[in-house]
Amino acid sequence: MLKTLLIFFGLSLDGFIVMMQKGATVRDLSEKNKIIYSLVYMAVNLITLAVGYGLAVTFDGVLPDGTAQIAIASMLIMAAGIYIAVKSFLNRPFIEKLDSNFNIYTLIPLAFFTNIKTMIVGIGFALLGVSLKSVILPAAAVTFLMSYTALSFGYSHGAAEQRLIGIAGGTLMVILSAYTLFKVILAAV
Amino acid sequence: MKNALADSLRYLMTGKLFEKITIKMICDETGVIRATFYNHFEDKYDCLNYIIQNDLTGQGTGEMNEKNLPVSLMACLNVIEKNREFYRRAYTTVTGQNSFEEMLELNLRLFVSAYFKSHRREEFMPQYNNDLISMYYASCVFCAVKMLIFDQNGIHTAKDAGIMLRDLTTHTFLDFSKEPEEW
């Protein structure tokens, strides 16, 4: 469970960057709006997690069982982690430019686009045999808290240290999934 | 407030690279919140552009006319000379897509264009529109400004730049050519 939470935490650092950027580029950000935006982001995050989970369950008979599933899951999560870390490393410096059109309706597509990796991780969790019910509440809590913190931080301090945050999140996911994969390979050998 | 924010950015640029300067730094230096910054500017590039605009036009003697054009230009060159270090730093550190060089050139073009809009002799060579002649003469002013900023080619002071501009814009290419009859 701890490993699952840590993977989710690593994943949520990517969302943290996005919400921090938004906090840094809105003119006014009230407490009410921070809570609403965080709830919306959390909702989209959970939906994509559930969709990924559902996709894995749908194709349950297609994929090989047991060790192979765990290996595939680990590689999927590792791939997501590598993508996040590399994207953060290669990203150009962020220009804090006023976004006067930001609202719930622009946040929703942004959240879906950002959470494609969450869908992949959802598939990974399903293949790892993690129960969706056991992960939904912690995932919701982590996502909400990270989004709220990111918006607050971005608004008061700007979008700082994005590269470091992204690399840290991606690296955490890579390390944890590599550890799982390593255990699987060892068991197979 | 706009001037205060612009002054803060100008001050911060003397000690930090432009890309490292954040909206928060500008706000903290000015003593205002982020919302105030965004009430006046879209981003720090917008603020930098305002500095250039203000330096080019805000120091003039008022409405531009042919009697005042040399005065307006000299005032502009004096401001640039006074802030030479800032301009030098901006020129070398604000590069890429929204480069300082592009901003400066564009604002100079607008500066010259504003003059020709109200003071163009319409009957003289009407085949060349205001945009074209503004672009042409603005590039001359830009050349002088760049030399002033970097202290190049003997252009050490605003006076030197002003004399160079006067000499080059009041004489033609043919005046400098050995073989003018070829034209």
Side-chain angles (χ1 to χ4, degrees):
Chain A
M1 185 61 176
L2 176 64
K3 199 165 63 188
T4 309
L5 267 182
L6 284 173
I7 289 172
F8 209 85
F9 175 76
L11 177 67
S12 68
L13 287 179
D14 187 48
F16 186 96
I17 293 169
V18 171
M19 296 304 268
M20 186 171 60
Q21 287 176 352
K22 282 300 150 199
T25 55
V26 291
R27 185 182 278 117
D28 296 304
L29 190 62
S30 61
E31 278 304 314
K32 180 182 152 196
N33 279 346
K34 267 193 256 179
I35 291 169
I36 291 171
Y37 294 150
S38 301
L39 283 171
V40 167
Y41 194 86
M42 179 197 76
V44 172
N45 184 268
L46 294 179
I47 289 169
T48 50
L49 182 71
V51 164
Y53 202 93
L55 277 172
V57 166
T58 306
F59 291 103
D60 193 26
V62 176
L63 293 166
D65 286 337
T67 313
Q69 271 194 350
I70 298 171
I72 291 167
S74 301
M75 285 190 285
L76 278 173
I77 294 170
M78 195 186 298
I82 290 170
Y83 174 79
I84 290 168
V86 170
K87 188 188 82 167
S88 296
F89 182 76
L90 294 175
N91 247 351
R92 302 174 99 188
F94 175 71
I95 299 172
E96 292 172 322
K97 187 180 179 69
L98 176 65
D99 183 356
S100 43
N101 297 320
F102 184 65
N103 53 41
I104 293 173
Y105 304 107
T106 57
L107 174 60
I108 291 172
L110 173 70
F112 268 113
F113 183 72
T114 313
N115 280 296
I116 289 172
K117 297 169 281 300
T118 308
M119 200 183 304
I120 293 168
V121 169
I123 296 172
F125 281 168
L127 296 176
L128 283 171
V130 175
S131 148
L132 184 63
K133 269 190 253 180
S134 70
V135 89
I136 275 280
L137 264 176
V142 167
T143 309
F144 177 83
L145 283 169
M146 294 293 266
S147 301
Y148 182 88
T149 308
L151 281 169
S152 303
F153 187 86
Y155 188 66
S156 57
H157 290 85
E161 304 300 346
Q162 294 174 61
R163 186 176 274 182
L164 193 63
I165 292 168
I167 291 171
T171 306
L172 185 62
M173 289 171 70
V174 167
I175 289 171
L176 290 166
S177 54
Y179 174 71
T180 307
L181 187 62
F182 179 68
K183 276 195 348 184
V184 159
I185 293 169
L186 258 181
V189 165
Chain B
M1 181 49 65
K2 264 184 131 168
N3 287 341
L5 288 164
D7 286 343
S8 295
L9 176 59
R10 195 196 293 265
Y11 170 72
L12 285 167
M13 281 178 72
T14 57
K16 285 184 178 355
L17 288 176
F18 182 75
E19 63 180 28
K20 298 285 183 200
I21 297 172
T22 62
I23 308 292
K24 178 171 165 40
M25 285 178 191
I26 300 170
C27 292
D28 285 349
E29 186 63 37
T30 319
V32 298
I33 59 173
R34 182 179 291 269
T36 306
F37 180 91
Y38 280 136
N39 281 341
H40 297 285
F41 301 110
E42 291 249 319
D43 52 30
K44 60 184 179 182
Y45 289 94
D46 195 13
C47 189
L48 183 61
N49 194 57
Y50 177 78
I51 292 174
I52 302 170
Q53 279 176 349
N54 214 27
D55 283 354
L56 291 183
T57 59
Q59 306 295 328
T61 56
E63 192 185 316
M64 294 190 70
N65 58 53
E66 54 268 29
K67 291 195 186 94
N68 268 343
L69 178 61
V71 175
S72 298
L73 267 175
M74 274 316 301
C76 169
L77 291 170
N78 281 325
V79 168
I80 291 172
E81 185 189 359
K82 189 177 153 195
N83 294 281
R84 200 200 303 253
E85 210 34 59
F86 161 77
Y87 276 90
R88 209 174 268 179
R89 215 174 151 79
Y91 221 109
T92 50
T93 60
V94 187
T95 56
Q97 205 179 349
N98 298 313
S99 71
F100 182 77
E101 186 172 15
E102 270 176 26
M103 268 188 240
L104 182 60
E105 200 171 358
L106 178 65
N107 278 287
L108 282 170
R109 202 182 300 172
L110 292 172
F111 181 78
V112 173
S113 178
Y115 170 74
F116 278 121
K117 261 194 185 103
S118 49
H119 301 99
R120 170 83 190 271
R121 268 194 291 157
E122 297 293 342
E123 69 283 3
F124 186 74
M125 292 195 175
Q127 67 269 32
Y128 302 116
N129 63 33
N130 283 350
D131 284 342
L132 180 71
I133 54 175
S134 300
M135 208 184 307
Y136 181 80
Y137 285 105
S139 61
C140 187
V141 178
F142 177 68
C143 178
V145 163
K146 192 173 175 182
M147 286 188 202
L148 175 62
I149 290 170
F150 290 103
D151 202 355
Q152 292 170 337
N153 295 95
I155 308 298
H156 304 298
T157 64
K159 188 179 173 190
D160 295 333
I163 291 169
M164 180 188 124
L165 268 174
R166 183 202 62 196
D167 290 343
L168 293 185
T169 52
T170 55
H171 293 86
T172 69
F173 179 89
L174 296 179
D175 291 327
F176 292 97
S177 172
K178 268 187 190 171
E179 314 281 348
E181 48 281 1
E182 279 180 4
W183 291 78

